[in-house]
Amino acid sequence: NGPTLTGALTNSGTLNVTGSTTASGGLTQSSGAFNISGGQTFTIGGSGLDVQGGALNSAGSLVLPAGAIVNVPAGGTLSGNGTVGTVANPITVNNLSGTVAPGASPGILTINGDYAQGASGVLAIDIGGTTAGTQYDQLVVTGNVGLGGTLNTTVINSFVPAAGNTFNVIQAGGTLSGTFATTSFPAGSG
């Protein structure tokens, strides 16, 4: 196990988690970047996580208290190829008006719990083929999903979608409700 950081922690610069770490007093992500390296676990206790802005990139595992709510505000980004929350401690991610960008061009971001996207939220998906996780991004949610806002897709790696291609960009373990108000696809992508 790595170090335990006591007291409330506020990040406004760059915080790189390269070893499994615990922040027992909670974390406020006010700006800058918070990066969890692949294979590493960052456990947040106390008041949990308060994302006020900046970027949260989880290539590893982000463990939060059961029932924690992660709000992604305007100017905030939740991205990565890892997990947020645990099966034992499910959470809720509310993409209020920020951006959720699964993967690492491409990859899968897993939310153990529920996901809701507000009218100003954006789900950003890279598509470079027809296989989820290795050729296009996917958001996996173990609980319920409520959609709104914008689905913004970007074609990568010179991929040209063909008629009949399908992309399961969200996998929900519970109910899937709502629709995207706006969808954005690159010109000529079919």
Side-chain angles (χ1 to χ4, degrees):
N1 286 341
T4 297
L5 308 172
T6 58
L9 180 65
T10 299
N11 180 46
S12 59
T14 299
L15 176 62
N16 294 315
V17 178
T18 57
S20 294
T21 306
T22 299
S24 64
L27 171 69
T28 298
Q29 173 68 22
S30 64
S31 63
F34 172 40
N35 305 306
I36 304 171
S37 298
Q40 304 306 313
T41 300
F42 192 83
T43 302
I44 299 176
S47 58
L49 175 65
D50 179 16
V51 178
Q52 298 174 350
L56 170 60
N57 180 31
S58 178
S61 298
L62 177 61
V63 178
L64 297 159
I69 297 174
V70 176
N71 293 320
V72 184
T77 301
L78 172 62
S79 64
N81 206 22
T83 62
V84 180
T86 64
V87 173
N89 295 323
I91 64 161
T92 298
V93 173
N94 293 318
N95 183 2
L96 303 173
S97 53
T99 300
V100 171
S105 293
I108 296 173
L109 178 66
T110 300
I111 296 172
N112 286 303
D114 298 329
Y115 175 74
Q117 183 165 304
S120 298
V122 174
L123 178 63
I125 299 290
D126 289 339
I127 296 176
T130 59
T131 305
T134 58
Q135 294 180 320
Y136 72 87
D137 293 335
Q138 186 178 56
L139 179 64
V140 174
V141 180
T142 62
N144 301 320
V145 174
L147 296 178
T150 300
L151 169 64
N152 186 16
T153 60
T154 302
V155 174
I156 60 171
N157 302 330
S158 302
F159 177 69
V160 178
N165 286 156
T166 59
F167 306 95
N168 182 14
V169 297
I170 299 176
Q171 180 180 329
T175 61
L176 178 64
S177 61
T179 59
F180 294 110
T182 305
T183 53
S184 171
F185 300 100
S189 62

